[in-house]
């Protein structure tokens, strides 16, 4: 059942690869809640993914965009202005890639050229999008931007490796740009720190299944699913949360403030 | 316009004194979004306030309750079960009083008997409500509890005095009970750390006006109003935020993550 | 080997029960580093403990003090002024007792009269000591106060129960009073958030051994011992840390910023 | 007077430009406390600075090192091993440069090539040093590494611009590498989040004087000086703090946990 929470609102969704993606589910949920959408992803991800299927479902155009290219990002925001005949009301940034993890490099022995690309794609891409939007005035007054993050930005998960640093940088960009865009145009910018989620991208992380099951046991409500996250995104895009900005919001069934659970203690003492 | 976000949901609102209260505005907004309500406040506050006017507006019964009395709280939850014919889906805890501030005692020279009452009324009252609810099974599966807090729980505001400690304790109760109620029944418990808000209660704090204006200048989006807070409460009572628990959520226009603003620097260098 | 880090400094040590106590070891270490000491503990704890043995070792008087009594605390600080012929340079507050845990009451079903005493003894006792000290001018300019805390103040450890809330309150008192005493007399006040430590007091916590072994596996450096903590206290009492105040300092081998370790994952997947 | 806190210890100091540098003062203090030192700085900084003067004062060799060059860093650590005939016991990383600030680019309109260099020099340089050290086993068991940071990593200071993001990344590297080096060799890694300090480097930041005076008024103990910071570094390099790791330690006279001071309120209402 739709609550028309986003009726009349326009938004851009980054990073919908396939139906397991948080971005995919968020697009569906935003559409259901009355939003008009524009989809984008990296040209290479579009080839492997099924974004065109999603585009049909939510009746949205797809604009390819390499987020590490100033030109591509500017082009995307320009096209968005043209398509919507003005600014958007929300943006979901669901983008991240660790090139050193992909190469199998251990955190203590990374290639710094690859690391620079990891940070550029996973973190500074948000800055690039926001800077282009500010230049073109492509986000409406009181618009809402959400970036997806992970608690590794605060605490170490050994296998999450260089993505942890990238997420810490991403969250800092949310705060820093959140200040400037807030003062200038009341645009609010937050990150959601989501439970580990079984997406096609996430599956690449070594030992991911073991970790999902640990997080499940360590969360009083269990892990938050991609569907739950889509709904939380909708609430943050809606007018019910207009004064929330520059925050990193844990959406994780309580994992972040749980020191230990009986369930973990029990399993460890078996 | 209603979005029917709380259609079919039942809730208890603590602490609506008069139309300036956050609790008052939250009751109105919850009602508008389709919720059935039950109102409560301290007997003494009911005499000075206008809760009966609100009760008519939202078509709700009023049950007096001294939150420092085990008996009163148990009675309230029992009456709630009877009235609704079962458990509730949400609770707003908007309760707080600093007896030492009332007496004009400086933070460094308080009366510890009064302090004990301050902590009991402002913080442990939430525990008492939750314990009674758990005993009677008076909150439904996936229910949502919100307590109102303030950033003085994290950082010192000299005139906020003993309420700062009370809020820190309150937030800890949210986490501690959030764990147990989460594991047991998926009930989620969060606090909202709200901008300083011009309520009748808040007005009692010495130098409050000066502080509101400072916070306004220190918040990229300005201070969040009581109305904004009411809407944020609705989002947290809704099904769009089900996996958020044990969090302290800043609702403050960005104040919490702002180190300084140009506006403050400018005024200070005049 | 002594470094004379506290040469010429005078201090009060609360809470040395027996040779397993952090306070006991801190007293020894402070003495070794050149400090003059005064010891205190609750009358009842003195009967069961061996504080007089410590008193001989560090050549210090013992003044009994029930920290929940305004009179006792004022008497203690007065005696301290007399003994030292002036103010002290440091204080260790190592005090805490959970009356509901002692009674075996589950966190969700506590007695609020006992809880009030728990908070008074474990948290507000620090306030009482500081208020008495301020009244009598019993802490010297740039003096250093340390209170012992635990990470349950931030994250839930189910069996740690009401002590978690007490520690959250204690840390808030450190900040609040830290502001006022800092502004007034440059006195700095911090808490140390220590690894779970096998003391006689700690042993009372249900499932404590299991938890110590979990924490050991979750800390990159392992758990910090009572001896390590004593040394850390010395560093905070010394002139090498004079601008650190109002902080909660984790002394835990990295536990606080570790999300998970390979060691925990391995044991869980066995 | 020396306490011989670092007697027998060997360390590397990065970033001593001139006598206003925190690194300069830390080198002097470490030397006084009995340490043997090796100094390093960027070739270009060495030309403008006076590092050779310091080298004489502390009887240390100087090895130039561009921290953005894998080769230079490996060479430095190799030379260090040769010079000391083994590993070091501590390292101070006091390195940072914002290329966009230097160009006068506003935070919302940066050059991403320059940004990539800023992050590499200011943040990933620490990773490069630690990775090289790990490869060569150039830090002794229980060694201590300190990096200098700033509270802009947590809260926005508008003029601090891209350095805020760089510091957030730097602190994440401390945690991430702190885990791995801790598990492997008990090496502990922390950052100090220092008050704004009038160094030659800091002076480059626009509006810096106004900000130092604001921070002074917002800190119960006033701003921590470079000298204070040097002493704090010594305490963290010493054996009195061996179980502290992966922490960001505020050394700021209480600024970090102060919401507002009477002094600021007073000046704003003039």
């Amino acid at each position: 059942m739709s609550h028309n929470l986003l009726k009349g609102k326009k938004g851009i969704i980054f990073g919908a690869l396939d139906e397991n993606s948080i971005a995919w589910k968020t697009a569906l949920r935003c559409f259901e809640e009355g939003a008009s959408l524009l989809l984008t992803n990296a040209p290479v991800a579009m080839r492997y993914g099924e974004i065109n299927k999603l585009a049909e479902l939510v009746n949205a155009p797809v604009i390819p965009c390499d987020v590490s290219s100033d030109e591509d990002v500017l082009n995307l925001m320009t096209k968005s202005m043209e398509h919507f005949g003005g600014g958007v009301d929300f943006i979901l940034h669901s983008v991240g890639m660790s090139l050193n993890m992909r190469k199998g490099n251990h955190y203590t022995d990374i290639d710094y050229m690859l690391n620079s690309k990891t940070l550029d794609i996973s973190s500074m891409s948000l800055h690039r999008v926001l800077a282009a939007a500010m230049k073109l005035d492509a986000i409406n007054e009181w618009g809402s931007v959400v970036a997806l993050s992970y608690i590794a930005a605060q605490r170490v998960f050994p296998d999450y490796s260089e993505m942890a640093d990238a997420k810490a940088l991403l969250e800092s960009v949310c705060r820093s740009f959140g200040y400037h865009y807030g003062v200038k145009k009341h645009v609010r910018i937050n990150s959601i720190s989501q439970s580990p989620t079984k997406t096609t991208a996430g599956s690449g992380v070594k030992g991911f299944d073991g970790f999902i099951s640990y997080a499940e046991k360590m969360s009083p409500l269990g892990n938050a699913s991609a569907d739950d996250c889509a709904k939380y995104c909708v609430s943050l895009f809606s007018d019910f949360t207009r004064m929330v900005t520059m925050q990193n919001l844990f959406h994780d069934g309580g994992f972040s403030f749980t020191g230990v659970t009986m369930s973990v203690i029990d399993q460890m003492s078996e």
Side-chain angles (χ1 to χ4, degrees), chain A:
Chain A
M1 190 196 69
S2 170
H3 293 276
N4 288 315
L5 271 175
L6 305 181
K7 202 176 168 183
K9 293 198 187 292
K10 300 151 193 169
I12 302 174
I13 306 286
F14 283 79
L17 183 72
D18 59 30
E19 61 180 11
N20 296 316
S21 311
I22 293 174
W24 183 287
K25 290 176 194 284
T26 303
L28 287 179
R29 189 64 71 168
C30 289
F31 181 71
E32 190 184 312
E33 290 297 328
S36 303
L37 298 175
L38 184 156
L39 305 177
T40 182
N41 212 342
V44 63
M46 288 176 61
R47 242 171 289 139
Y48 292 99
E50 311 166 39
I51 199 169
N52 290 321
K53 199 174 129 193
L54 176 64
E56 275 182 47
L57 289 170
V58 302
N59 193 26
V62 182
I63 313 282
C65 174
D66 170 357
V67 291
S68 66
S69 150
D70 293 2
E71 209 185 340
D72 269 30
V73 170
L74 199 64
N75 174 60
L76 169 71
M77 298 313 293
T78 307
K79 291 267 170 67
S80 169
M81 288 290 281
E82 290 169 12
H83 173 70
F84 289 122
V88 294
D89 301 293
F90 63 87
I91 293 175
L92 176 69
H93 178 275
S94 174
V95 178
M97 179 157 56
S98 166
L99 282 85
N100 276 293
M101 280 165 81
R102 217 173 244 221
K103 281 274 184 184
N105 295 337
H106 191 264
Y107 179 76
T108 59
D109 189 23
I110 61 176
D111 175 315
Y112 296 97
M113 290 297 288
L114 296 182
N115 177 256
S116 172
K117 281 183 193 163
T118 294
L119 299 178
D120 193 57
I121 292 172
S122 308
S123 320
M124 298 313 297
S125 60
L126 177 65
H127 192 290
R128 206 176 260 116
V129 167
L130 293 168
M134 197 180 253
K135 199 165 293 170
L136 301 173
D137 196 16
I139 305 180
N140 295 332
E141 188 84 15
W142 292 104
S144 173
V145 177
V146 169
L148 293 186
S149 192
Y150 183 53
I151 194 175
Q154 283 78 39
R155 298 185 215 150
V156 177
F157 296 85
D159 280 339
Y160 201 69
S161 193
E162 79 174 346
M163 272 308 282
D165 298 342
K167 291 302 193 191
L169 180 58
L170 176 71
E171 293 178 12
S172 182
V173 170
C174 286
R175 283 189 296 272
S176 298
F177 225 115
Y179 170 86
H180 291 290
Y181 226 143
V183 166
K184 185 162 190 173
K185 245 203 139 174
H186 297 115
V187 169
R188 53 209 158 99
I189 306 177
N190 299 286
S191 51
I192 292 178
S193 187
Q194 162 71 5
S195 289
T197 313
K198 221 168 181 166
T199 61
T200 306
S203 311
V205 182
K206 186 186 134 203
F208 200 66
D209 285 352
F211 179 60
I212 285 193
S213 115
Y214 168 73
E216 179 76 22
K217 281 192 205 321
M218 274 288 280
S219 306
L221 303 183
N223 287 330
S225 70
D227 253 333
D228 292 322
C229 190
K231 284 196 264 182
Y232 194 38
C233 287
V234 167
S235 84
L236 290 170
F237 295 154
S238 82
D239 292 334
F240 283 79
T241 56
R242 295 219 307 189
M243 297 305 282
V244 178
T245 195
M246 302 165 69
Q247 306 298 314
N248 178 48
L249 300 159
F250 290 102
H251 182 255
D252 61 2
F255 179 91
S256 41
F257 288 90
T258 300
V260 78
T261 58
M262 295 320 297
S263 167
V264 164
I265 289 283
D266 287 351
Q267 182 162 349
M268 286 189 65
S269 47
E270 261 169 25

